[in-house]
Amino acid sequence: MVAIRDSNAQKLETELRRGVLVLAVLSRLRTAQYGYSLRQALAEEGMPIEEGTLYPLLRRLEEQGLLASDWRIEEGPPRRYYKLNAKGARLYDELTTNWRGLVKTMDRLLD
Amino acid sequence: MQAQELIESYVDDVARRLPRKVRNDVGLELRALLGDQLKAAAAEAGCQPDERMAIDLVHRFGRPDDVVSSYRERGFNLIEPGDAPLFVKLATICVGLQWALTLPAVFAGTSTFSAWWVSWGFGALAWPGALVLWFAAAAWVRRVSPVDPDTRRRPWTHWIFWLPMSEDWQPTLVRRPGAREVKLQIALAALATGFFAAPAWFLDLFVADASWARYDGDFGRWLLAPLIGLMVARLALFVAITADPRRRAPTEKLRFGLWAALVGLLYWSAFSWTIFAAPAVDAPFKAWLSVFLLVNTLQIVAWLRRARTRVRAPASRA
């Protein structure tokens, strides 16, 4: 029974995290980042993301017209840098406002 | 194998499975990303990257097939998740029924198992295929006509909201379907009824010889008129309900009665009569009619069960 509860809790927590993943990624892309640096930046802030989830997500966000990307050769191999474009920045602002409202509501509910 | 070679080999394996237009781009990016991670893992361990680290890394990243599927565009549901239980139920009933009706011949010795399997036995598996088409069409209609967030209804649908079973309310309270949509639905229903009345005549307008679409003489003489009569009656009721959407118990009963009578008559037609004179048309038409009838039968059963369901107060405990 305990195992079932634990697995349910894990599943629900994964769903919660999945819901905020896009906003978390957009928040770090206000400055240009390549995949690995982005993953590091998120992990440092307490939001570790699986590689297999993050990289396809970046491409999807780019296909949706929210990110701009370019290849840069600095130190090491060529790397693709991603950054919010104008549409992405607008969406980021909108989602941030919604998120803050949601946090307030949830705080009231949880207190 | 060197660690970097192992990463290269993995990236090549992933890239081979990707669509051509993104293959190089994603492959290059993946190579850089995995290379960065390998270096970071080595720096953390305080040594040079080795095979073990590379293997751990790519294992954590996933099997090439899984990696590729996460890069692919999200697909769609061929059968809506909500329809899946009904699909399984229908497919099981159809296959089970066909086997149950035909397999006894093998045990009775009038047919061999191999003869049964290549005809009725394996043929029963056509049911799931036909049902997939049916449900896929329903899913497609829902996908291309999503619920409008303002009107809370799908485009081209007649039924707008739940309506009270009473005459004592104003029909103006509900948003009515657009006149253009209703006219189109009525026109399509009338056209379908006309087509059913004389398919050969309609098809003659488009093909040189549509004699294959002629009804069997007896069917045309005895059953066609009652069937068309029921269809016209249902259409007339539809027009009347559209004009005044207030639900009334007699109207609901009449609607159900006409529907059940039509389904019953179609059952009789399908299983006791030759519908089309040409056997090559009659058999496939009856197969499709069977699916239609099965779905309608289940809907009728559901309607009857709903009609009997009442919300009851919970039993109080002393």
Side-chain angles (χ1 to χ4, degrees):
Chain A
M1 198 63 182
V2 172
I4 293 170
R5 255 207 309 276
D6 284 348
S7 111
N8 276 341
Q10 206 175 351
K11 211 183 288 176
L12 290 171
E13 194 193 327
T14 308
E15 274 179 32
L16 272 178
R17 289 173 65 84
R18 194 180 295 150
V20 297
L21 204 62
V22 170
L23 185 54
V25 167
L26 294 181
S27 76
R28 295 299 91 180
L29 291 178
R30 284 172 290 172
T31 54
Q33 303 264 12
Y34 61 94
Y36 182 71
S37 69
L38 173 60
R39 190 164 168 260
Q40 290 292 97
L42 288 164
E44 275 164 21
E45 298 296 334
M47 180 66 79
I49 298 179
E50 293 277 321
E51 307 94 320
T53 305
L54 179 61
Y55 306 142
L57 174 65
L58 286 172
R59 293 196 75 86
R60 265 205 297 279
L61 291 173
E62 192 187 17
E63 274 165 25
Q64 287 167 10
L66 302 171
L67 304 181
S69 75
D70 61 325
W71 285 95
R72 294 184 199 171
I73 304 173
E74 290 163 352
E75 291 166 27
R79 291 187 177 104
R80 188 175 193 142
Y81 280 74
Y82 294 89
K83 191 173 188 282
L84 289 183
N85 61 16
K87 189 180 167 191
R90 271 200 305 278
L91 179 77
Y92 170 69
D93 289 341
E94 203 177 304
L95 287 178
T96 304
T97 309
N98 290 345
W99 171 253
R100 294 207 165 117
L102 196 60
V103 168
K104 274 186 198 155
T105 307
M106 287 309 295
D107 279 345
R108 277 200 303 276
L109 289 171
L110 297 174
D111 278 345
Chain B
M1 199 179 224
Q2 295 292 312
Q4 193 55 42
E5 277 178 288
L6 203 142
I7 298 281
E8 296 282 335
S9 162
Y10 177 79
V11 169
D12 284 347
D13 240 7
V14 173
R16 265 184 223 118
R17 290 165 164 82
L18 285 164
R20 195 180 293 271
K21 62 176 183 178
V22 297
R23 192 175 291 164
N24 203 51
D25 213 26
V26 172
L28 263 177
E29 191 178 20
L30 211 54
R31 187 192 289 162
L33 294 167
L34 292 172
D36 282 334
Q37 278 181 234
L38 186 66
K39 270 187 213 156
E44 202 177 307
C47 59
Q48 288 295 311
D50 61 22
E51 237 181 335
R52 165 58 47 202
M53 282 178 202
I55 283 277
D56 285 347
L57 180 63
V58 298
H59 278 184
R60 218 172 45 243
F61 205 77
R63 290 169 59 246
D65 283 329
D66 296 333
V67 175
V68 168
S69 72
S70 64
Y71 275 98
R72 280 204 192 106
E73 278 179 34
R74 279 185 198 151
F76 54 85
N77 293 318
L78 197 58
I79 297 174
E80 297 266 315
D83 287 340
L86 181 61
F87 168 78
V88 171
K89 212 181 278 180
L90 283 177
T92 309
I93 290 172
C94 291
V95 174
L97 209 60
Q98 183 158 324
W99 283 357
L101 290 173
T102 56
L103 197 55
V106 177
F107 295 107
T110 53
S111 173
T112 62
F113 181 80
S114 53
W116 172 81
W117 177 247
V118 295
S119 55
W120 294 107
F122 190 71
L125 301 179
W127 284 110
L131 288 167
V132 164
L133 289 179
W134 186 284
F135 281 99
W140 179 78
V141 168
R142 284 186 210 137
R143 205 164 46 246
V144 297
S145 58
V147 174
D148 186 317
D150 294 329
T151 60
R152 300 303 305 154
R153 68 185 175 90
R154 293 175 192 277
W156 309 109
T157 49
H158 165 65
W159 299 108
I160 330 121
F161 288 112
W162 169 85
L163 302 172
M165 179 73 86
S166 161
E167 289 187 46
D168 197 18
W169 60 281
Q170 286 300 314
T172 48
L173 289 176
V174 296
R175 274 177 280 190
R176 310 285 290 279
R180 194 185 57 160
E181 293 168 22
V182 170
K183 278 179 194 161
L184 186 75
Q185 282 186 51
I186 292 171
L188 285 174
L191 193 69
T193 308
F195 182 79
F196 189 81
W201 184 84
F202 268 91
L203 290 170
D204 257 335
L205 301 174
F206 304 102
V207 295
D209 178 19
S211 56
W212 47 269
R214 289 221 174 91
Y215 285 128
D216 178 74
D218 283 344
F219 175 81
R221 202 168 304 123
W222 299 107
L223 278 186
L224 191 58
L227 281 169
I228 296 298
L230 284 170
M231 287 178 187
V232 171
R234 271 168 60 81
L235 184 58
L237 190 63
F238 175 80
V239 174
I241 291 171
T242 308
D244 180 357
R246 280 177 291 194
R247 292 167 76 206
R248 298 169 175 91
T251 321
E252 288 289 295
K253 281 180 185 159
L254 180 62
R255 197 160 70 89
F256 175 76
L258 288 172
W259 179 28
L262 183 63
V263 169
L265 209 51
L266 283 172
Y267 260 114
W268 194 35
S269 310
F271 293 106
S272 303
W273 294 70
T274 302
I275 298 178
F276 284 96
V281 180
D282 195 54
F285 177 76
K286 281 180 176 172
W288 279 103
L289 187 57
S290 306
V291 179
F292 173 82
L293 289 173
L294 189 76
V295 171
N296 273 267
T297 306
L298 289 167
Q299 285 176 333
I300 286 173
V301 171
W303 193 94
L304 287 170
R305 279 175 61 183
R306 277 200 294 269
R308 291 175 56 190
T309 305
R310 294 280 181 278
V311 178
R312 296 176 208 286
S316 60
R317 285 187 189 169

